[in-house]
């Protein structure tokens, strides 16, 4: 059973409690099965504390340490002076080069300190900066052996790409006049009690054959997301990535917002506008690995293989073909922690979804490893303790500085204590993604007939989460939309998506089944699956196409690198029914708050009838997954007596159903125990439908 925020045991809500050992083993009180691993818990906790002490002593604390962007890269004095500072310990000489000196490689030498940090200050002339805004720059270095190399500055905040000239990114000095800079107008919204996430990629957020812009997203997508009732947006592919088709997961410039979509100020306007609507904005952050690019990435930055990354095979991800950070290095911690701080402070993001956490937690990076759930898999030589400790430090720093922040871990392994505070020995995330749920749906749609769906297995998978750790449930994310896979709607309807989604065509059994199961899957996931919910853009209305970015293999086509939002807006197409149903779910959750309520009580899992019944947040949820059977006067147990009314009906006409239940119907309870509940009521359950009932006095 899971705990929600409000009902957490006071021992865990109060880290100062004398019942919690201050050595990282507090988690054992929550999960006694961790007792055999107390030494491992103590060791990683101690390692995190040692880092905090070292940073306190040498840097003045995590708060100052994480302000690296105020010292490194390009910084600007009030009088117009520009200072450039870069850590490059392997370099023997370093020079700042660029448009401002006609690319003279020796005109602006830099000075080195004892720690391998190079710097130069360029005085302004009569208040005019020596390097004009929006001009190109690089660092040029001489390395052992006399070779001259040139790199994009590691802390650069703006890079641009001209594919007609070269695929290599250019570093650009971003220093607009102060009176032209975007000024945030709206405060960050309060952290939502229930997290309803709209996962989105700016570039594909248009039906047009193009890369959509930040301004497009602000104008067209934010009102759509607000209408649907999502209160959190998770933005993908913002950190600059050299290859568009990498979906943003091969980052080359960690401090630069992708210029494909517009300017830094355009992104700030997007976030500020979302805040004005009360919408929280998360960044999909990639600290699990980095692009192996050298000319416009961090790889071999100063000519050495081991600067930001592990040396040799340890520093390379064999599946992702990318570089792996050395989380045990002082300067790498400065870079990564400052990177998080930069996105929070400069762009006013409200938190992060950390990508590839499994790779960070284990030395095997999850490659070729199936996690059985045995606790021995989470401790011992397979664990990358430096990666674990980095995530502990990152969450500790973020939650101390930004109490309203949200951090989410993408971890497939089920690492215990991932979403518990450092003070208890946890890693400190707020939520983890329930990655087994979409896998179950795809597997069932591939391998099982509808009559073989197992209500017990469905309920188990949706509720199988760690006690006291919050989970984001989802039926499908961007992973299921990529080319080579199929979305749930494509699995359900396949070719008829192209022929029978018009209301002017026959309502075929395939389309009827597809619409019905699409709604049932989302509703049961929303109600039973976690303490948060996520949807990937377009999937709410059953998007008919997969995602495939422009590349050589498809003649650089944008046909599949877009979301067809024209479909739900067309009144003659059935996509509108799914779109309106998704809206109904989000706004009903806003009213009743089941995501931040205690986990559901499941009273019925009837394998013969294919009926699942549970209660959560004072609501009665009744699902009939049977492909052919409808039930009259079906008796279901309910704890709270009273008169119930329908608040969600998947069979409603506005959701593409047959409206076989009259919505003004009152459902009266009978004082007679049923299925372990004190009362029962009786309902009509058509095939492949679900009802959510609420007490009449709560409507």
């Amino acid at each position: 059973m899971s705990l929600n925020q409000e009902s957490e045991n006071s021992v865990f809500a109060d880290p100062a409690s004398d019942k919690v050992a201050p050595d990282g083993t507090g988690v054992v009180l929550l999960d006694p099965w961790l007792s055999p691993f107390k030494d491992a818990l103590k060791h990683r906790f101690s390692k995190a504390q040692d880092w905090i002490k070292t940073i306190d002593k040498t840097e003045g604390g995590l708060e100052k340490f994480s302000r690296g962007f105020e010292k490194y890269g390009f910084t600007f004095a009030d009088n117009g002076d520009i200072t450039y500072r870069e850590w490059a310990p392997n370099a023997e000489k370093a020079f700042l080069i660029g448009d401002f000196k006609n690319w003279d490689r020796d005109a602006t030498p830099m000075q080195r300190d004892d720690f391998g940090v190079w710097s130069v200050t360029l005085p302004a002339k009569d208040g005019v900066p020596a390097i004009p805004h929006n001009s190109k720059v690089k660092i040029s270095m001489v390395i052992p052996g006399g070779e001259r190399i040139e790199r994009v500055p590691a802390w650069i905040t703006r890079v641009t790409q001209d594919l007609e000239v070269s695929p290599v990114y250019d570093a650009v000095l971003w220093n607009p006049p102060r009176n032209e800079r975007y000024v945030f107008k709206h405060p960050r919204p309060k952290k939502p009690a229930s997290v309803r996430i709209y996962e989105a990629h700016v570039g594909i957020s248009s039906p047009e054959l193009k890369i959509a812009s930040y301004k497009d997203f602000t104008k067209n997508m934010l009102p759509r997301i607000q209408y649907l009732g999502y209160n959190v947006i998770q933005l993908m592919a913002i950190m600059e990535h050299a290859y568009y088709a990498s979906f943003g997961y091969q980052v080359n410039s960690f401090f630069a917002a992708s210029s494909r979509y517009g300017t830094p100020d355009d992104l700030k306007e997007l976030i500020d506008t979302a805040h004005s609507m009360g919408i929280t904005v998360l960044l999909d952050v990639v600290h699990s690995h980095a692009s192996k690019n050298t000319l416009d990435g961090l790889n071999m930055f100063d000519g050495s293989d081991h600067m930001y990354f592990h040396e040799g095979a340890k520093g390379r991800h064999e599946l992702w073909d990318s570089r792996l950070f050395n989380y045990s290095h002082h300067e790498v911690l400065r870079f990564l922690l400052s990177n998080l701080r930069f996105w929070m402070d400069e762009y006013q993001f409200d938190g992060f979804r950390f990508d590839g956490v499994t790779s960070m937690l284990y030395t095997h990076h999850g490659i070729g490893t199936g996690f059985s759930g045995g606790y021995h898999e989470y401790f011992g030589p397979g664990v990358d303790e430096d990666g674990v400790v980095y995530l502990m430090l990152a969450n500790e720093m973020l939650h101390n500085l930004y109490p309203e922040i949200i951090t989410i871990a993408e971890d497939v392994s089920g690492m215990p204590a991932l979403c518990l505070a450092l003070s208890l020995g946890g890693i400190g995330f707020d939520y983890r993604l329930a990655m087994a749920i979409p896998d179950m749906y795809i597997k069932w749609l591939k391998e099982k007939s509808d009559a073989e769906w197992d209500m017990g297995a469905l309920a188990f998978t949706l509720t199988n989460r760690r006690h006291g750790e919050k989970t984001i449930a989802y039926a499908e994310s961007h992973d299921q939309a990529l080319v080579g896979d199929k979305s749930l709607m494509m699995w359900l309807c396949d070719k008829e998506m192209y022929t029978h989604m018009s209301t002017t065509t026959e309502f075929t059994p395939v389309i009827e089944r597809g619409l019905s199961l699409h709604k049932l899957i989302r509703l049961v996931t929303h109600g039973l699956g976690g303490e948060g919910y996520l949807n990937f853009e377009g999937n709410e209305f059953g998007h008919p196409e997969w995602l495939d970015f422009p590349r050589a293999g498809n003649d650089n086509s944008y046909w599949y690198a877009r979301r067809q939002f024209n479909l739900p807006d067309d009144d003659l197409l059935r996509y509108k029914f799914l779109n309106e149903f998704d809206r109904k779910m989000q706004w009903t959750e806003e009213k009743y708050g089941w995501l931040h309520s205690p986990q559901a009580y499941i009273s019925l899992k009837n394998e013969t009838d294919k009926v699942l019944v549970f209660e959560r947040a004072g609501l009665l949820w009744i699902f009939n997954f049977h492909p052919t059977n409808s039930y009259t006067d079906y008796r279901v147990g309910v704890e709270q007596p009273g008169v119930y009314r329908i608040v969600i009906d998947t069979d409603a006409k506005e959701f593409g159903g047959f409206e076989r239940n009259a919505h003004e119907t009152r459902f009266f309870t009978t004082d007679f125990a049923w299925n372990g509940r004190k009362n029962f009521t009786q309902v009509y359950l058509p095939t492949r439908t679900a009802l959510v009932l609420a007490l009449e006095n709560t409507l």
Side-chain angles (χ1 to χ4, degrees), residues 168 174 245 276 363 367 422 440 563 698:
V168 177
W174 188 257
S276 75
T363 55
I367 300 172
L422 176 62
M440 173 191 67
R563 298 270 93 179
T698 67

Side-chain angles (χ1 to χ4, degrees), residues 162-302:
D162 185 350
L163 288 172
E164 292 185 3
V165 177
S166 167
V168 177
Y169 271 86
D170 294 310
V172 172
L173 185 84
W174 188 257
N175 183 31
R178 292 190 183 276
N179 63 346
E180 295 179 14
R181 298 176 190 180
Y182 188 85
V183 177
F184 285 90
K185 304 171 186 66
H186 306 283
R188 287 187 171 109
K190 295 284 290 181
K191 181 178 179 178
S194 292
V195 172
R196 302 184 300 275
I197 302 172
Y198 198 84
E199 183 184 35
H201 180 293
V202 170
I204 66 170
S205 298
S206 168
E208 298 178 51
L209 297 170
K210 67 174 188 177
I211 297 177
S213 68
Y214 296 123
K215 284 190 173 294
D216 289 333
F217 195 95
T218 302
K219 179 183 176 183
N220 302 320
M221 288 303 299
L222 290 183
R224 186 179 296 276
I225 294 165
Q226 184 185 40
Y227 172 81
L228 286 170
Y230 290 91
N231 56 12
V232 179
I233 299 171
Q234 182 178 297
L235 284 181
M236 309 174 64
I238 295 297
M239 301 167 75
E240 191 59 272
H241 46 293
Y243 187 39
Y244 190 43
S246 76
F247 223 141
Y249 292 122
Q250 294 277 347
V251 175
N252 51 318
S253 288
F254 282 75
F255 289 83
S258 180
S259 57
R260 285 182 182 86
Y261 322 127
T263 69
D265 282 358
D266 293 343
L267 175 57
K268 291 175 182 179
E269 181 186 32
L270 186 164
I271 295 167
D272 197 24
T273 306
H275 287 169
S276 75
M277 299 174 168
I279 298 173
T280 293
V281 187
L282 307 182
L283 175 68
D284 195 349
V285 71
V286 186
H287 281 183
S288 47
H289 64 129
S291 164
K292 69 175 185 179
N293 288 12
T294 54
L295 295 179
D296 56 6
L298 293 179
N299 189 22
M300 306 286 289
F301 185 84
D302 65 355

